[in-house]
Structure formats: structure tokens, C-alpha cells
Amino acid sequence: MGYRVVVAGATGNVGREMVNILAERGFPADEVAVLASSRSQGDQIEYGDTGKLLKVQNIEHFDPAGWDMALFAIGSEATKVYAPKFAAAGCTVIDNSSLYRMDPDVPLVVPEVNPDAIDGYKARNIIANPNCSTAQMVVALKPLHDAATITRVVVATYQSVSGAGKVGMDELFEQSRNIFVGDSAEPKKFTKQIAFNVIPHIDSFLDDGSTKEEWKMVVETKKILDPKIKVTATCVRVPVFVGHSEALNVEFANELSAEDAKRILREAPGIMLIDKHEDGGYATPIEAAGDDATYVSRVREDPTVENGLALWCVSDNLRKGAALNAVQIAELLGRRHLKKGNEAALIADEARETANED
């Protein structure tokens, strides 16, 4: 007997990826329900490449009783309404919004980094998925932190427009087309023109001059990885459709050479090291799009500080930064706590995790 799984927000970019990844990874689901707002009710969504079509149901009228887990990709406002209802009905919520990330009673989980944190989910029956830029960064940092203890991180992000949803992707496409034909490229979703430009502003500004996106990277890294780590971030929107990139300068308490760091990263779960000192010997968002790995390149020693490294990190923000991480949380929840599903599927899941570690 497998799980009964809900995907809420299934018509959006992240929700569709959640559905696809459930199918791709052979998640042991006996039944999958896809939910959205009333305007999408009755639409059909393909369940990966299985040929199976799922009919979209209205989340307002859906009864979560008897369902095992729900993957939420509906934004904070809707999550505030529906997550408590689902959790109270016994359906564990895995939430992609920012609403519960800093709630002390809600675990914030990246399975390769802090799998034990999931054990606290019973307090609210809710598990939080981190911010997309945080998720890929902590995957890259975790094995290095274990080896030499990170004390400080300086990160500059280069975040794709898909992080702002379909409207962000549409705006980049439309502005690029309009510029080529001489039409207006006035911004609608973004604060300035995004086509052929970069914007050092993601989310709202805070009193100290940082943005909320930058604040998220700071506090989420501390909650997931280590509260003692100092983090400063500059988050930038760039004209890339899919894939976030990050330039990281990392300081350690103990010495760690670039060669040792590469060896550690090469063996770490969830990481693909591409680092050749030659033209094209590094990862870009093009390579990361559609892939599950967090790519790391340009690992080198930082001579401006004691025990410092610089590196480049790239990942598909719709997958590891959101949908994939949510499905991995669901798999972890199943293995550690719910323990349903046929034995073969669970063994295959565990084998895949072991292979990643190897």
C-alpha cells in the first residue's frame, strides 16, 4: 500500500515540477490529487511521462482527511489559510512558501544537509522547504562545514526570472522581443527592465537596507546549517529563464585547501563538481536546467583572508530550489516516519540515496 499525495498549486511552475518529479522518481503513491484555484478547476495535468492525466480540483472544496502528505506551492497567503486545515486533518504539509520557515516548531529541511531536523514535524504536522537560493548554497556548504567549520559566508546571487513565477518568465520574453522590434519594454512584474539588464533587488526592502530575499538567506542558513555562521548576501535578478547562480566567498575556522575542498565536494551527496582550469570548464545555468544536482565550479583559495575559499554554485531553482527538495522531504518523511509504500519502492528509494552519498 502506497501513499495518498496532494500537490497544491499544481498549475504553477513549481507545482508542475513537483508532479513531474514525483513521477520521475517513482514515488510510491497509490493516488495523487492535484489542486489549484477555482479558475483552473477541471484542467488536466500530465503525470510525468506516464501518460496518466490528473484532473485539477478546487482547493477550496478539497477534503484532506485520509491523505498522507501535501506538497504546497501556493504562496504564503493561501498557505496561511489551507496548511493548518490540512495538518489538522492528519495530512502532513510540505510547504514551499516562506510562511513557516522561521517558525521554531516547524523543521526547515534540506535532506542532504539536516535530515534529522524532520523528526520535529509532529509539533505542527508541517515541514518547511527553504528559499531556492538558500537550498543550493547549503548543499554546497554542508560538506565543507563538516570538514573545516565555516565562520563566515559572503554570497552574491544571480537569480533567474523563474524565481518570480510564470509572470517573471513572460516579462523577460516579452521585453526581449519588444526591444528587438523597437516596441516598449516597460516593466510590470519587476521594478526595472529585466531584459539585457540586472536588478539588485529581490523581494521588499527592510529597514537596514537589505532585501527580504537577502534576509532569508541569512536566517535560513543559520537554521539549517549552523546558527554561528555569519552570512551576508546580495541578491540580484538576472535575465536567465531557469537556474540560479551564486558566487561564494567562505571563511573557515580551520585550514582547508582548494584541492581538499574539491575532493570533499566530489564525494558529497547532491553535488556535481565541474572544475577545470580551461575555457568552458565550469557550470552555468544552461547545464543545470532540468537536472537535480547542485553544480560547483571555480573552487580556489581566497588569499585575502586566512582559511578562505571562493567558489561558484549553480542549480535549477525550480527543482533543487523548490520542487525536488519538497519531493526529497516527502521521501525522507516516508522512510523515517510514515513507512508506507511497497517494500520494493522503499528499497529503491534508499538505494538511490546511498548511490548519491557514494
Side-chain angles (χ1 to χ4, degrees):
M1 181 179 180
Y3 299 101
R4 302 183 75 211
V5 181
V6 176
V7 178
T11 56
N13 286 341
V14 173
R16 286 183 181 273
E17 281 296 305
M18 288 175 171
V19 173
N20 288 334
I21 292 169
L22 285 169
E24 283 175 15
R25 293 173 71 89
F27 188 85
D30 280 351
E31 188 174 358
V32 177
V34 290
L35 313 182
S37 64
S38 57
R39 62 179 176 270
S40 298
Q41 184 174 355
D43 291 353
Q44 292 186 323
I45 293 177
E46 294 182 356
Y47 190 56
D49 295 329
T50 65
K52 184 178 180 180
L53 294 176
L54 305 175
K55 184 174 288 188
V56 177
Q57 302 179 53
N58 187 345
I59 191 171
E60 295 179 24
H61 304 142
F62 185 79
D63 181 4
W67 293 80
D68 296 298
M69 57 183 82
L71 281 58
F72 270 41
I74 56 177
S76 293
E77 289 304 312
T79 297
K80 188 182 299 183
V81 174
Y82 294 107
K85 294 180 180 179
F86 277 64
C91 180
T92 303
V93 173
I94 300 169
D95 177 37
N96 193 61
S97 81
S98 63
L99 183 63
Y100 292 105
R101 289 174 187 161
M102 299 316 297
D103 188 321
D105 292 328
V106 174
L108 181 64
V109 177
V110 177
E112 299 96 328
V113 179
N114 63 336
D116 292 346
I118 201 171
D119 297 341
Y121 85 98
K122 293 181 181 179
R124 299 285 295 274
N125 206 22
I126 297 172
I127 304 163
N129 210 21
N131 186 43
C132 49
S133 51
T134 305
Q136 70 183 70
M137 184 173 76
V138 296
V139 168
L141 293 180
K142 167 65 173 175
L144 303 179
H145 184 55
D146 288 346
T149 309
I150 295 170
T151 58
R152 182 172 184 252
V153 177
V154 180
V155 56
T157 71
Y158 306 77
Q159 295 180 224
S160 67
V161 294
S162 58
K166 184 178 182 297
V167 291
M169 299 177 76
D170 289 345
E171 184 153 319
L172 174 57
F173 176 81
E174 291 167 5
Q175 284 185 354
S176 301
R177 180 189 59 194
N178 290 351
I179 288 169
F180 276 118
V181 299
D183 289 343
S184 171
E186 287 296 313
K188 298 175 183 177
K189 170 64 179 179
F190 300 112
T191 55
K192 293 196 175 187
Q193 176 185 309
I194 185 60
F196 309 101
N197 196 19
V198 298
I199 305 172
H201 173 198
I202 300 177
D203 213 322
S204 57
F205 276 98
L206 306 177
D207 291 341
D208 66 355
S210 63
T211 65
K212 193 172 181 182
E213 183 81 359
E214 293 157 355
W215 173 83
K216 290 174 189 175
M217 292 196 74
V218 174
V219 296
E220 291 178 16
T221 299
K222 289 176 176 288
K223 183 172 180 178
I224 296 168
L225 195 55
D226 189 335
K228 296 178 182 178
I229 296 176
K230 297 178 180 179
V231 182
T232 182
T234 300
C235 294
V236 182
R237 190 73 71 189
V238 298
V240 171
F241 282 105
V242 176
H244 288 356
S245 304
E246 297 171 351
L248 295 159
N249 287 79
V250 188
E251 296 179 42
F252 298 87
N254 304 302
E255 184 177 358
L256 182 65
S257 70
E259 287 306 311
D260 284 341
K262 290 179 187 180
R263 175 183 54 78
I264 291 166
L265 290 166
R266 194 175 289 114
E267 298 171 356
I271 292 175
M272 177 70 71
L273 181 70
I274 300 179
D275 196 349
K276 298 180 181 179
H277 299 172
E278 61 186 41
D279 293 351
Y282 43 80
T284 67
I286 292 293
E287 288 84 51
D291 203 349
D292 292 346
T294 294
Y295 288 81
V296 177
S297 305
R298 302 290 319 281
V299 180
R300 59 206 187 277
E301 288 160 27
D302 180 352
T304 66
V305 296
E306 187 176 1
N307 301 331
L309 292 176
L311 56 92
W312 175 253
C313 173
V314 182
S315 188
D316 184 327
N317 56 293
L318 298 179
R319 292 180 73 89
K320 186 54 190 173
L324 172 64
N325 199 70
V327 174
Q328 288 176 311
I329 290 172
E331 292 170 346
L332 181 63
L333 177 68
R335 288 197 305 273
R336 291 180 74 119
H337 294 284
L338 303 187
K339 297 180 181 178
K340 291 175 65 176
N342 64 71
E343 185 177 357
L346 290 173
I347 291 173
D349 184 30
E350 290 173 352
R352 178 169 54 243
E353 294 298 326
T354 301
N356 288 337
E357 291 172 3
D358 294 341

